[in-house]
Amino acid sequence: MWPEAPGESAWGPGCCGVGRWLEFKARLRFSAGMRREVKELVLDNCRSIEGKIKGLTDEFEELEFLSTINVGLTSIANLPKLNKLKKLELSDNRISGDLEVLAEKCPNLKHLNLSGNKIKDLSTIEPLKKLENLKSLDLFNCEVTNLNDYRENVFKLLPQVTYLDGYDRESKEAPDSDVEGYVEDDDEEDEDEEEYDEYAQLVEDEEEEDEEEEGEEEDVSGEEEEDEEGYNDGEVDEEEDEEDAGEEERSQKRKREPEDEGEEDD
């Protein structure tokens, strides 16, 4: 799915297949204006060259969600500066260090997924201290998770982190919104809900109006049918009156005929 309007998501080969990577690069190259409006970008399964993904630049000024799963990264030193980035997916790469660059290039990062990388000890993740807004960190399938008291030590090292591998300090699972990581601002969610409620109310009002109009049409058609029936009944009554008058006239005529015959005999 490619963005059709500013602010929409741009989906890469992770969703469309690696075969469309050339098309994606062309879009990145020739849509500089759109790059400044994109908020979500998925580049899963693309091929990085010397730690770089061609076309991924700091022109993505509004980017809040970036996914580069399984792209062959060994370092994130060449990551562009993305000040508004909130969630970064880096799982299933070969990253073993250089995490200090995140505080400089993604200072507002809240959710970081490093699962399936070559992170072996706590000193490697220590630079994440500088990410003051970091709320969720995932290190699944990294060697560091095999260390004794791994969870306890990570929470001590990174006190700002609320959820480690999907669970908090008390081993309570993170809510769905935190597991997913990318959550828009509450104000935007409230606005969306208000717009949806207004739309739903508008649809309901229109349906009620349609029902009322249908009811009025049924009443009018019922009155017309009654009028028509009354009109037909009137015609039948007139015909019956005419028949009664004709029979009365014939009866009187029959009575007069004998009298006329008697007068003729005299």
Side-chain angles (χ1 to χ4, degrees):
M1 183 194 310
W2 302 103
E4 296 179 357
E8 293 192 1
S9 302
W11 298 101
C15 291
C16 304
V18 179
R20 297 187 62 184
W21 173 230
L22 291 176
E23 179 184 350
F24 173 72
K25 287 200 296 184
R27 285 178 177 270
L28 286 182
R29 187 179 301 118
F30 297 112
S31 303
M34 184 172 290
R35 272 181 275 183
R36 296 186 179 92
E37 301 296 334
V38 171
K39 290 187 176 182
E40 301 177 41
L41 188 62
V42 177
L43 304 177
D44 301 345
N45 304 311
C46 297
R47 178 77 65 179
S48 63
I49 301 174
E50 296 180 355
K52 294 181 180 180
I53 298 176
K54 190 172 183 179
L56 180 61
T57 69
D58 56 8
E59 288 181 314
F60 288 91
E61 297 172 357
E62 299 296 321
L63 199 63
E64 296 180 6
F65 171 70
L66 174 62
S67 183
T68 56
I69 297 173
N70 190 32
V71 298
L73 287 174
T74 57
S75 169
I76 55 174
N78 292 316
L79 188 72
K81 189 172 181 61
L82 302 167
N83 285 327
K84 293 188 177 182
L85 196 68
K86 295 179 181 179
K87 181 179 180 182
L88 179 58
E89 288 278 354
L90 292 168
S91 59
D92 298 328
N93 285 291
R94 300 192 297 275
I95 298 168
S96 59
D98 297 325
L99 299 185
E100 60 274 5
V101 302
L102 289 175
E104 175 191 349
K105 298 189 175 183
C106 308
N108 293 302
L109 200 62
K110 293 182 178 181
H111 307 272
L112 176 62
N113 190 342
L114 289 165
S115 301
N117 281 282
K118 297 184 178 299
I119 298 173
K120 298 180 180 181
D121 49 57
L122 294 176
S123 62
T124 305
I125 62 172
E126 188 172 1
L128 300 180
K129 284 181 178 180
K130 296 180 180 180
L131 288 172
E132 297 178 357
N133 297 313
L134 189 63
K135 181 179 181 181
S136 175
L137 175 64
D138 288 314
L139 296 169
F140 285 116
N141 297 324
C142 292
E143 290 185 38
V144 67
T145 61
N146 297 323
L147 298 177
N148 293 332
D149 301 322
Y150 151 72
R151 291 182 57 80
E152 181 181 350
N153 289 327
V154 171
F155 280 123
K156 285 181 180 178
L157 183 65
L158 306 173
Q160 79 276 31
V161 171
T162 304
Y163 299 103
L164 176 62
D165 301 332
Y167 292 86
D168 66 9
R169 290 172 173 80
E170 306 300 325
S171 297
K172 293 180 180 179
E173 189 173 3
D176 290 342
S177 60
D178 290 305
V179 172
E180 291 297 329
Y182 177 66
V183 183
E184 294 186 357
D185 294 339
D186 293 338
D187 293 340
E188 293 180 2
E189 290 181 353
D190 293 340
E191 289 177 3
D192 291 340
E193 289 178 2
E194 289 176 3
E195 290 178 2
Y196 175 79
D197 291 340
E198 290 176 1
Y199 176 75
Q201 186 62 46
L202 180 61
V203 171
E204 185 177 343
D205 293 342
E206 289 179 353
E207 289 177 350
E208 289 178 358
E209 289 178 3
D210 292 340
E211 289 176 359
E212 289 177 0
E213 290 178 359
E214 289 177 359
E216 291 175 358
E217 290 177 358
E218 289 178 358
D219 293 340
V220 171
S221 62
E223 291 175 1
E224 290 177 351
E225 289 177 359
E226 289 178 1
D227 293 342
E228 188 175 343
E229 288 176 358
Y231 176 76
N232 292 336
D233 290 342
E235 289 183 347
V236 171
D237 292 340
E238 288 179 1
E239 291 177 358
E240 289 178 352
D241 292 341
E242 289 177 359
E243 289 178 359
D244 292 342
E247 288 181 1
E248 187 176 348
E249 185 179 346
R250 286 193 294 273
S251 176
Q252 290 177 358
K253 185 176 181 181
R254 284 196 296 272
K255 288 180 181 179
R256 286 198 302 271
E257 286 178 354
E259 292 178 359
D260 293 341
E261 289 177 359
E263 290 177 359
E264 288 177 0
D265 291 341
D266 294 339

